[in-house]
Amino acid sequence: MPRRPIVGGNWKCNPEDPAKLDELVANINACDTSECDVYVCPSTLHVGMVFQSFTNGAKVAPQNCNFKGCGAFTGEMAAEQMMSMGMEWCLIGHSERRGEFGLPTPAESSELLATKMQYLLDTGLKCILAIGEPLPVREQGVEAVLAHCVEQLKPCLPYLDADKVVIAYEPVWSIGTGVTASPAQAQETHKLIREWLAKEKSPELAAAIRIQYGGSANAKNAAELSACEDVDGFLVGGASLKPEFAEIVATIAKVKSSANAAAPADQPAVAEPASEEDAQAARLSKLANEMAQEKLEERARLEAAATVAPVAVPVSSAPPPCELEKTMTSPRLAAVETPTKSSSCSIL
Ligand code: PGA
């Protein structure tokens, strides 16, 4: 059963001026939601202003919630309030709330987030759970990355339900930096997470749950990332404040529907052949998957050849991000060498 793509726009603490909200709402309303679920996470101050503004089925997902309900909880948002306002989703676990960005306040632990998840689901809401590793973990290699993600997922394991939970894998080093995980890196990590879920929860859950990629996703890199088999959507920050958000939604909807149409090799041919454009998209999608697979096999060969230590895959020597933005806005990445642009990934 193919997974329906899902793309979220995380406005974070934007815009400063509420007069800009109309423009941002228009970006979301411009999305075609017929083949892709769309949600948007307005800032806490603005969520009540815009929650009824979406005309295309896009859902509102606040960026946090409490786990106690209404009452004397200053500064909090209750799941019950969200329900009463007709909301269906809530985002939890973003690294900016876990404390990855140096918050001076205590970080939200994985255990706290599991409590929040349970509370949300019990109240009748659905939940997007963000997870992801910081740069020093990525530099230790993919096994360390998986271990980090597992630590974040484990307390939530009892509550995972493919109809009610979406996982957003967001490598911290790629958030707001312009450095996107390469399709091979994203596919490898998503696949490992899915395999872990199959082992620890059930193969059915693992096959059905949607895993979004987040971290400098934009209209330029959406096609290559969408072509990765285990990438089911995006959690988009910066680009969700721009008109290109609708392009990201359109791209993944198209790539996934072409891939689904082309996927089962033993399926009888469809009566109406796909358009040349669709057939081309399916071929490119297949090619991107093969390329990602080749990179993974190459990595496995290198790791097998290493006798002393496993081959670490720092961002600088990993398969280079295909769409590396030249401007790195994060000082945290100032030390990261700029990879060269990979022509082999520029398939679309
Ligand atoms: P970004 O943010 O797209 O600006 O990197 C993603 C996120 O933090 O959810």
Side-chain angles (χ1 to χ4, degrees):
M1 184 72 181
R3 295 179 292 270
R4 183 175 160 86
I6 180 164
V7 175
N10 183 6
W11 291 350
K12 306 191 178 187
C13 199
N14 294 297
E16 179 180 338
D17 183 350
K20 293 252 168 64
L21 283 170
D22 283 350
E23 206 180 290
L24 299 194
V25 166
N27 291 341
I28 305 297
N29 281 336
C31 297
D32 177 354
T33 58
S34 57
E35 292 191 64
C36 181
D37 290 340
V38 173
Y39 66 86
V40 59
C41 311
S43 77
T44 306
L45 270 176
H46 296 150
V47 75
M49 293 174 70
V50 300
F51 79 104
Q52 288 174 315
S53 307
F54 301 99
T55 52
N56 56 352
K59 307 294 180 191
V60 170
Q63 300 171 10
N64 182 29
C65 71
N66 82 356
F67 53 96
K68 291 278 189 189
C70 295
F73 306 111
T74 304
E76 289 291 340
M77 291 183 285
E80 286 80 353
Q81 292 173 311
M82 296 169 198
M83 282 294 284
S84 305
M85 292 166 83
M87 295 176 200
E88 293 173 36
W89 288 88
C90 182
L91 169 67
I92 59 170
H94 194 284
S95 57
E96 287 154 15
R97 294 204 54 84
R98 289 181 188 259
E100 286 294 347
F101 289 80
L103 294 177
T105 49
E108 294 193 12
S109 69
S110 298
E111 288 69 26
L112 170 65
L113 292 163
T115 306
K116 290 188 177 193
M117 179 182 282
Q118 182 182 17
Y119 196 89
L120 282 168
L121 301 188
D122 286 351
T123 310
L125 284 150
K126 293 182 258 190
C127 171
I128 304 119
L129 173 72
I131 61 171
E133 83 287 354
L135 185 58
V137 173
R138 172 57 68 171
E139 286 173 331
Q140 288 166 37
V142 76
E143 278 170 26
V145 170
L146 179 65
H148 191 89
C149 293
V150 161
E151 224 175 275
Q152 294 176 324
L153 279 170
K154 217 171 195 162
C156 290
L157 207 53
Y159 316 115
L160 295 185
D161 173 335
D163 294 330
K164 297 180 184 162
V165 177
V166 165
I167 296 168
Y169 167 65
E170 301 201 293
V172 178
W173 45 270
S174 73
I175 293 178
T177 59
V179 178
T180 316
S182 68
Q185 285 174 316
Q187 168 57 23
E188 179 180 43
T189 313
H190 284 221
K191 188 165 184 278
L192 287 170
I193 291 170
R194 219 180 276 291
E195 284 170 358
W196 181 80
L197 290 170
K199 193 156 56 76
E200 298 295 325
K201 185 84 176 174
S202 73
E204 293 72 26
L205 178 281
I209 200 160
R210 293 178 289 180
I211 307 179
Q212 294 178 299
Y213 167 78
S216 300
N218 57 38
K220 279 196 235 156
N221 56 37
E224 288 176 319
L225 289 161
S226 299
C228 298
E229 199 181 328
D230 289 293
V231 172
D232 303 315
F234 301 105
L235 180 50
V236 184
S240 72
L241 301 168
K242 300 176 190 163
E244 74 180 86
F245 184 72
E247 280 177 61
I248 299 172
V249 172
T251 299
I252 192 160
K254 184 164 185 176
V255 171
K256 292 300 182 191
S257 69
S258 302
N260 290 337
D266 51 359
Q267 192 90 341
V270 282
E272 285 296 315
S275 69
E276 183 45 39
E277 210 185 2
D278 284 348
Q280 168 86 344
R283 282 197 296 276
L284 291 172
S285 163
K286 186 161 172 282
L287 181 63
N289 274 328
E290 285 168 4
M291 283 162 48
Q293 188 56 37
E294 273 168 27
K295 291 244 190 298
L296 296 183
E297 284 167 10
E298 190 185 328
R299 184 197 301 266
R301 275 196 299 278
L302 282 172
E303 285 183 351
T307 49
V308 183
V311 176
V313 186
V315 178
S316 56
S317 63
C322 297
E323 291 297 344
L324 182 74
E325 299 290 341
K326 288 281 181 273
T327 17
M328 292 188 193
T329 52
S330 168
R332 296 168 349 93
L333 276 164
V336 178
E337 189 188 324
T338 303
T340 50
K341 190 169 169 126
S342 160
S343 56
S344 65
C345 289
S346 304
I347 57 160
L348 290 178

